[in-house]
Amino acid sequence: MLLFITVGVSIACVKDGKGIDVNMMSLIYASISNIAAAALKVFVSGPRLKALRADESKNMDSANVYAVTNIISFLCTLPLIMVEEFSTLNNRWEAVSVSHNHYDLTKNVILSGFFYYIYNELAFVFYPQVGFVTSSVLNTAKRVIVIAASAFIFDEKMGRNTIIGATMTIMGTFLYSLVSMNSTGRVAKVTSRQKVT
């Protein structure tokens, strides 16, 4: 199922007639981001964090843990931003401001950051409730759902590859959820039988 979903996302991302054009720096940074996201999932489900949440004197519920994690991440990332992007930030802002006024640009950046933070905080609360594989499947499927929803909302024509990839991903996610429900039901039945005997 996972291979089916991954191949579906890959096909959906290939533009018709343009083939695959990979920006290696983007691929490297995306890979680092995925490794960090997987590490975060392990951290969220770990025993230390559960103990920290259980200690009411520390007031570290999921929202506070996520906020502290983001502050630490920001402080760790800040030196990289200063070295890599700070010198070009003003020029890029001015270039984008040519087609958008400063108010709209600032508003969109703030709203984008706010909704991204809220989405990730909800995901942070959600991760401990499900397994790593389930959260990864949902995260992968999300990409194709966003592509399909954007095409529908902005009335854009979806290419052949996008339709095939989206269909494969959605079907794979659906099959994965069916298999997960069946295996969970079997585990519950075995557990209840063991309690009876």
Side-chain angles (χ1 to χ4, degrees):
M1 248 55 83
L2 297 178
L3 184 61
F4 200 67
I5 293 168
T6 306
V7 170
V9 171
S10 302
I11 291 172
C13 293
V14 175
K15 298 255 183 197
D16 292 332
K18 294 192 177 179
I20 301 172
D21 183 19
V22 178
N23 180 325
M24 286 310 293
M25 287 306 290
S26 295
L27 180 63
I28 290 168
Y29 286 127
S31 299
I32 292 169
S33 174
N34 284 333
I35 291 168
L40 180 64
K41 289 173 191 170
V42 171
F43 171 70
V44 170
S45 302
R48 283 189 178 174
L49 192 57
K50 287 179 183 175
L52 184 63
R53 285 183 181 154
D55 187 356
E56 292 190 19
S57 66
K58 298 201 183 320
N59 190 27
M60 292 300 282
D61 60 358
S62 293
N64 288 342
V65 170
Y66 182 69
V68 169
T69 306
N70 266 295
I71 292 168
I72 293 168
S73 300
F74 172 73
L75 293 174
C76 291
T77 309
L78 194 58
L80 293 172
I81 294 170
M82 299 300 269
V83 170
E84 289 286 323
E85 297 180 5
F86 191 72
S87 61
T88 62
L89 187 60
N90 192 38
N91 293 337
R92 290 183 187 207
W93 184 269
E94 291 302 324
V96 174
S97 297
V98 171
S99 56
H100 306 289
N101 63 47
H102 285 286
Y103 172 76
D104 286 341
L105 189 58
T106 305
K107 180 184 78 173
N108 288 337
V109 167
I110 290 170
L111 285 175
S112 175
F114 173 75
F115 286 118
Y116 187 74
Y117 182 89
I118 293 299
Y119 156 74
N120 278 306
E121 185 172 321
L122 291 173
F124 193 82
V125 173
F126 176 73
Y127 287 148
Q129 310 301 322
V130 297
F132 297 125
V133 177
T134 301
S135 61
S136 294
V137 165
L138 294 175
N139 197 29
T140 304
K142 171 195 73 176
R143 288 169 171 76
V144 168
I145 292 167
V146 166
I147 291 170
S150 298
F152 177 74
I153 291 168
F154 298 116
D155 197 27
E156 292 180 2
K157 186 181 175 196
M158 288 175 57
R160 179 187 46 129
N161 289 346
T162 306
I163 293 169
I164 292 169
T167 304
M168 283 180 69
T169 303
I170 292 168
M171 292 287 294
T173 306
F174 177 70
L175 291 172
Y176 173 79
S177 66
L178 289 178
V179 169
S180 286
M181 284 192 299
N182 285 339
S183 64
T184 304
R186 285 187 198 133
V187 169
K189 284 179 185 174
V190 169
T191 306
S192 63
R193 284 180 191 156
Q194 287 174 346
K195 286 181 181 176
V196 170
T197 57

